[in-house]
Amino acid sequence: MRSRRPLRAALLGAPVALVALVALPGAAAQAASGGLPADCAPIDITNETALDQSAAAADDVFAGRVDAAAPVTGSTRVGYGVTVERAWLGDVAQGQQAAVTIDWPAGAQPGVTQGASYLFFTTDTVDGIVADACGGAVLLPKGLTPKVASMLEKYLASVEPPPAPEPTPAPVSFHQPDDPLGDPPQIGRVVASGAAVSLIGVLGLLLVSRLGRRRS
């Protein structure tokens, strides 16, 4: 099982990543024109087998909207600020913002654009959340619509961890008294505290009433 601990540094809660991505929105569009390798075929989101294969090789699977983009200086990598809309696998959660990095081939036009929604298949590294340029970000043409969401819920159910089981309440046990014929137990042991106070109050009223009648 792959470790997911490096993921924490890739969340946009990290001030450096947040500043870099928000300061240069849309900068990825300035990359040189070109294309991905010919054998890099887009993943069909209606193909359950293809989604299962991609999810099996990923640490994180989530759908999100790209809100910002910025190239990484001195490399072909681009960092994307993504608002998570639905998560199936990994440490990211719905509503959270994550920084996803993609290393595009030299001369290729980045295939992820600001303002669009994608289904991400990513891995956790010491540098954060990384998506492969070929298949790591699958475009959702109309966004995460109810129809698409329902389809993905069905197809990706196998990779989503089951909910944590609720703790089983401890069984109630009863013990026989050591001396069944002995003195009756104290009132605090057989009556709940609130009920005991009420019962003591009633007994007090009866005692006062009897004393009043004797004086009269």
Side-chain angles (χ1 to χ4, degrees):
M1 181 179 292
R2 290 179 292 272
S3 173
R4 297 195 172 94
R5 294 307 96 204
L7 176 62
R8 298 272 67 87
L11 300 181
L12 283 186
V16 175
L18 181 60
V19 172
L21 290 173
V22 175
L24 297 172
Q30 300 173 6
S33 61
L36 295 173
D39 60 350
C40 183
I43 297 176
D44 181 3
I45 62 172
T46 64
N47 187 329
E48 183 175 1
T49 300
L51 293 185
D52 282 343
Q53 291 175 346
S54 296
D59 290 322
D60 315 286
V61 179
F62 58 95
R65 184 186 67 253
V66 176
D67 295 323
V72 178
T73 305
S75 71
T76 58
R77 291 179 295 164
V78 178
Y80 298 93
V82 180
T83 298
V84 180
E85 298 174 294
R86 175 68 170 89
W88 288 271
L89 180 66
D91 292 336
V92 295
Q94 182 175 338
Q96 189 176 43
Q97 288 189 316
V100 179
T101 302
I102 300 179
D103 191 358
W104 299 103
Q109 174 67 43
V112 172
T113 58
Q114 186 177 340
S117 291
Y118 295 84
L119 177 62
F120 289 92
F121 299 96
T122 64
T123 55
D124 301 337
T125 72
V126 293
D127 296 323
I129 306 175
V130 177
D132 188 75
C134 183
V138 183
L139 177 65
L140 303 177
K142 297 182 180 180
L144 191 63
T145 64
K147 181 178 180 180
V148 171
S150 177
M151 179 183 65
L152 294 178
E153 292 285 351
K154 177 182 177 182
Y155 290 174
L156 296 173
S158 60
V159 302
E160 187 172 23
E166 295 184 0
T168 304
V172 178
S173 59
F174 298 93
H175 300 281
Q176 291 292 335
D178 296 334
D179 184 7
L181 301 179
D183 295 333
Q186 297 179 4
I187 190 170
R189 297 181 181 178
V190 296
V191 184
S193 58
V197 172
S198 299
L199 183 57
I200 291 172
V202 171
L203 293 176
L205 290 176
L206 291 176
L207 180 59
V208 171
S209 177
R210 291 181 180 179
L211 290 176
R213 283 198 297 270
R214 289 179 181 178
R215 291 176 181 177
S216 61

